[in-house]
Amino acid sequence: MYKIAPFELQYVERYTDLIEQFSEESQFGVYERQSVRKLVEAGCTQDNSASLHLLKDDRPIGIILGFIQPHYFDQTYLGLVELTWYVDPKERSGIWSIKLFKEFEALGEEKGVAYILTSLRNNSTPEKLERFYKKRGYASEELTFIKRL
């Protein structure tokens, strides 16, 4: 049985494991478990969290970790910033990963945000994810570059 619900402290280790899987899959290059664990705990406890999990038989198999943040140039203009959206690869082909994202959007709307900011990694499946986002009304507004020092 599947269920989508807000983050819960009892699953902190499992959420941290899922983010570690995400980091490995996406070849993110940076991962320190204690830092991620603190971020996950914030996702469970902070008022500005908009973090959800996807449970299958009472075990988290997917997460979307996000926080509501004021815009840099206008503190009254709130946005929901998605930091990680990850679903176990064996579960991605079904409807539940999309339902998880839709619930995230609905939560943002319920909390009164003006926009949702999400991103994708170039080494994931950018074409597929770009189609996914555009189909749901998202537009690319910025291209970010990074230089590792």
Side-chain angles (χ1 to χ4, degrees):
M1 181 167 144
Y2 292 91
K3 177 183 167 187
I4 296 171
F7 267 24
E8 298 176 39
L9 279 169
Q10 68 177 333
Y11 296 121
V12 165
E13 290 304 320
R14 177 64 181 147
Y15 302 151
T16 306
D17 292 342
L18 288 169
I19 293 174
E20 184 172 6
Q21 286 174 241
F22 165 74
S23 179
E24 289 170 3
E25 265 184 48
S26 65
Q27 302 167 358
F28 199 65
V30 177
Y31 180 85
E32 196 276 315
R33 188 168 182 89
Q34 211 42 37
S35 298
V36 171
R37 192 176 196 291
K38 285 181 181 178
L39 182 65
V40 166
E41 286 173 352
C44 294
T45 60
Q46 287 186 2
D47 290 339
N48 69 329
S49 174
S51 301
L52 301 170
H53 62 217
L54 171 60
L55 298 178
K56 180 180 181 183
D57 301 324
D58 295 322
R59 176 173 164 76
I61 59 165
I63 59 169
I64 190 159
L65 174 64
F67 293 92
I68 297 170
Q69 303 285 337
H71 193 275
Y72 306 115
F73 302 134
D74 181 346
Q75 297 292 299
T76 66
Y77 192 63
L78 299 178
L80 175 51
V81 180
E82 174 260 321
L83 300 179
T84 301
W85 174 32
Y86 181 80
V87 176
D88 184 295
K90 296 181 290 279
E91 301 291 339
R92 288 183 194 158
S93 61
I95 60 169
W96 284 97
S97 56
I98 293 171
K99 281 187 175 192
L100 179 61
F101 192 82
K102 286 181 177 180
E103 286 288 323
F104 180 71
E105 290 178 316
L107 182 57
E109 196 170 340
E110 177 185 310
K111 292 187 177 246
V113 302
Y115 64 95
I116 296 173
L117 179 65
T118 187
S119 61
L120 57 92
R121 303 267 314 153
N122 281 339
N123 58 349
S124 53
T125 52
E127 299 83 12
K128 185 177 178 183
L129 284 169
E130 186 176 2
R131 283 193 308 273
F132 172 85
Y133 289 127
K134 284 184 176 179
K135 183 178 178 183
R136 283 158 184 77
Y138 289 78
S140 176
E141 290 191 6
E142 182 177 307
L143 183 58
T144 303
F145 295 91
I146 186 169
K147 178 181 180 179
R148 306 241 187 242
L149 303 176

